[in-house]
Amino acid sequence: MDTKSRIMEESFKLFLKKGFVDVSLNEIRKHQTYYRRILLSLESKDTLLVAVIEKYIFNYFNSTIRQIRDFEGTPKKN
């Protein structure tokens, strides 16, 4: 996993655990001391959130939509 992916994964976990509002860039930096130079280059927490959403949320929804479109068969009845 590359550095950017690691940062985004750790940030995503923190956002899920504590909520976006309650996570600061400083807290993310504490969790990612190894990647400090890259984190310092981020414009803002908002920029990081957008990147995390694009990577994790949009990819999940796009994957789900592809699976629905490619589905062949009949739905199961409960």
Side-chain angles (χ1 to χ4, degrees):
M1 183 181 298
D2 68 355
T3 302
K4 183 177 179 181
S5 293
R6 287 181 183 162
I7 291 169
M8 290 178 46
E9 183 177 324
E10 288 300 315
S11 299
F12 184 53
K13 288 176 186 178
L14 284 170
F15 292 152
L16 288 175
K17 182 178 179 181
K18 297 181 75 176
F20 176 72
V21 173
D22 293 326
V23 176
S24 68
L25 277 179
N26 285 333
E27 183 173 2
I28 294 167
R29 287 184 185 111
K30 286 178 190 174
H31 285 273
Q32 297 292 325
T33 55
Y34 180 74
Y35 312 113
R36 186 160 291 176
R37 278 189 284 156
I38 292 168
L39 283 168
L40 291 173
S41 71
L42 292 170
E43 293 175 27
S44 67
K45 188 170 69 167
D46 294 334
T47 303
L48 178 59
L49 178 64
V50 169
V52 167
I53 288 171
E54 286 174 351
K55 180 175 176 88
Y56 294 101
I57 306 299
F58 288 170
N59 283 344
Y60 172 78
F61 284 123
N62 287 334
S63 173
T64 302
I65 290 169
R66 277 192 302 278
Q67 289 176 5
I68 291 169
R69 286 184 185 151
D70 295 343
F71 179 77
E72 293 180 14
T74 58
K76 293 181 181 180
K77 292 184 180 180
N78 291 342

